[in-house]
Amino acid sequence: MPADDRLPFPPPADQASKTVWHVLGAGSLGSLWAARLARAGLPLRLILRSPERLEAYRAAGGLRLTYGDETQLYPIEGEALDAGTPIRRLLLACKAYDALPAIERLAPRLAPGTELLLLQNGLGSQDAVAAALPECRCIFASTTEGAFRDGDFHVVFAGLGHTWLGDAGAPPAWLAELERAGIPHSWSADIQTRLWRKLALNCAINPLTVLHDCRNGGLLEHEEEVAGLCNELRELLRRCDQPTAAEGLREDVERVIRATAANYSSMHQDVAHGRRSEIAYLLDHACREAERLSLPLPRLQSLHLRLQKHLAARGLPVD
Ligand code: NAD
Ligand code: KPL
C-alpha cells in the first residue's frame, strides 16, 4: 500500500442522524464498520461482551483502525450488553456461533421494529436470530471485505470489498448513511442467492485448505477433489431452489482460489490459532440440508467427517 494512500472514508459529516447505530462485537468486522460510521459523524455505541472488556476498551481510549500505513484512533463510546437503553438499529458483527446467544442477552433492549443487520458467514445463524425476534427486522448481509485483529481493539483493514444486504422488504433509508460512511454496499433483493453461493465457495475451499494444510492456492494441486465437491455442491444448490447460486460454481471456485492463492482461508486461520471454526454454519449446514432432502452427497459427507476428526484431534469443537 503506498504511504500516501488515504483512508477510503469521506470526511466527517456535521449532520448527525437521530437513530443510534449499536455495533455488537469489537472484533474485525465490527470495528471496521464502527470506525467508518464514527468517521462519518453518525451516532454510535459499541457493545462489549463483559464488564472486563468494557473496562479494557475504555482504558484503550477507543478503537484503532489501520489502513495501509495510517492508523487512526476512534474514541467511540462503549457500553455493556445490559446497558438497559433501547436499541433501534443493531449491527451484529460476531461469529455465527455467538449470534443467537448474543441476541438472547440483548433481547430486553430490542423493541418491535428494531432493525438488525446480520454480518455472519455461512447459513443457519441468521434464521435462528430472525426466528427468535419475529417482531424485529432482520437484514442479512454477505461481504467480501477483509479485516483482522492486530491486538486488543486494533483492527487492520486488509481487503477492500463489497457488502450485499437484503431481506424481503424495501431498502431502508439508512443505506444513505452507509454511503456517507464510505461502506461499499448494494441492496440485494435476493440475498439468499449470495449467501448460498458464498456457502458453497467456502465449503469447496476452506475445509480442504485445513486438511491439506495449505494456502488457498495450494488447492490447484487438488483439482479433481475440488471439482468433485463442486459437482455435489451444485446439485445441492439446485435441490435447495438456488439455481442461480449453482450456475458456474466450478469456474467461480477456481477464480477465487487463484485470486486468493496467497491467503490462508478463514477456517485454516481459525484452526491454526486453536480457535473455534464456523463449521456448523458451513459444511454442517450443507450436509444437514442434503440429509433433509435425502440427497446422497458422498464426497461432501466424507469431507465433513474428515474435518470433524481433524478438529477433534486438536481439541477443537466439531460443530
Ligand atoms: P471476530 O472474532 O474478529 O469478532 C467478533 C467479536 O464479537 C469479538 O470481539 C467477540 O468478543 C465479539 N462478541 C461475541 N459475542 C459477543 C457478545 N455477546 N457481546 C459482545 N461482543 C461479542 O470476528 P470477525 O472476523 O469480525 O467475523 C464476524 C463474522 O463476519 C463471522 O461470521 C465471519 O465469518 C464474518 N466475516 C469476517 C470477515 C473478516 O475479514 N474478518 C470477512 C467476511 C466475513
Ligand atoms: O471466504 C473465504 C474464507 O476464507 O472464508 C475465501 C473466499 C475462501 C477466501 O479465503
Side-chain angles (χ1 to χ4, degrees):
M1 203 87 53
D4 60 350
D5 246 13
R6 309 257 327 139
L7 281 163
F9 308 147
D14 40 24
Q15 200 193 351
S17 121
K18 285 196 189 91
T19 305
V20 175
W21 282 86
H22 282 84
V23 175
L24 180 137
S28 309
L29 282 193
S31 301
L32 180 58
W33 275 64
R36 291 178 292 186
L37 293 169
R39 165 120 181 155
L42 294 160
L44 178 70
R45 304 267 185 288
L46 190 63
I47 300 175
L48 282 298
R49 67 184 312 158
S50 65
E52 295 74 31
R53 294 301 291 161
L54 178 58
E55 203 182 310
Y57 173 73
R58 286 180 175 153
L63 286 176
R64 278 178 176 75
L65 177 70
T66 296
Y67 178 69
D69 291 337
E70 199 173 332
T71 298
Q72 281 194 25
L73 173 69
Y74 295 89
I76 298 159
E77 200 173 314
E79 65 178 37
L81 273 165
D82 57 1
T85 48
I87 294 176
R88 302 293 303 159
R89 188 180 301 146
L90 174 71
L91 175 73
L92 192 64
C94 57
K95 298 283 194 186
Y97 48 76
D98 280 329
L100 189 58
I103 285 307
E104 284 166 353
R105 297 269 316 266
L106 277 186
R109 301 178 61 189
L110 308 176
T114 293
E115 294 168 306
L116 288 91
L117 185 46
L118 310 180
L119 266 188
Q120 287 60 49
N121 226 354
L123 279 167
S125 70
Q126 304 90 338
D127 283 341
V129 168
L133 301 172
E135 294 183 325
C136 295
R137 181 177 187 185
C138 290
I139 294 171
F140 297 4
S142 177
T143 188
T144 57
E145 290 196 310
F148 62 86
R149 283 184 276 173
D150 188 21
D152 256 6
F153 312 117
H154 181 186
V155 166
V156 179
F157 192 176
L160 297 180
H162 197 86
T163 302
W164 287 266
L165 324 162
D167 70 358
W174 50 256
L175 291 185
E177 297 188 0
L178 301 190
E179 197 70 44
R180 203 161 104 198
I183 298 174
H185 67 280
S186 306
W187 184 253
S188 168
D190 196 4
I191 190 71
Q192 288 291 338
T193 301
R194 295 218 165 256
L195 290 167
W196 271 104
R197 176 62 156 234
K198 181 87 193 309
L199 175 122
L201 277 164
N202 287 142
C203 285
I205 297 175
N206 299 18
L208 286 181
T209 62
V210 173
L211 295 171
H212 292 300
D213 189 15
C214 65
R215 294 175 197 264
N216 292 353
L219 297 186
L220 293 170
E221 286 167 33
H222 302 277
E223 272 186 43
E224 211 179 301
E225 213 175 357
V226 174
L229 286 174
C230 286
N231 286 342
E232 291 194 355
L233 285 162
R234 245 190 348 243
E235 186 55 24
L236 177 66
L237 293 174
R238 287 196 193 111
R239 291 285 302 276
C240 289
D241 294 325
Q242 295 296 331
T244 309
E247 256 170 52
L249 177 65
R250 168 81 189 97
E251 294 71 26
D252 205 18
V253 166
E254 190 176 326
R255 182 191 61 74
V256 171
I257 288 175
R258 290 186 188 280
T260 62
N263 299 354
Y264 284 107
S265 75
S266 55
M267 191 178 273
H268 186 287
Q269 291 179 46
D270 285 340
V271 175
H273 290 100
R275 294 190 299 245
R276 182 175 178 183
S277 74
E278 293 183 301
I279 177 178
Y281 303 88
L282 298 169
L283 201 46
D284 264 18
H285 186 84
C287 289
R288 270 197 311 275
E289 283 299 293
E291 263 174 47
R292 185 178 64 79
L293 296 160
S294 305
L295 178 65
L297 298 178
R299 289 170 185 263
L300 212 59
Q301 274 142 6
S302 142
L303 181 71
H304 187 213
L305 282 178
R306 283 161 63 204
L307 183 62
Q308 285 186 318
K309 270 193 196 156
H310 186 95
L311 297 176
R314 282 151 189 80
L316 293 171
V318 298
D319 55 18

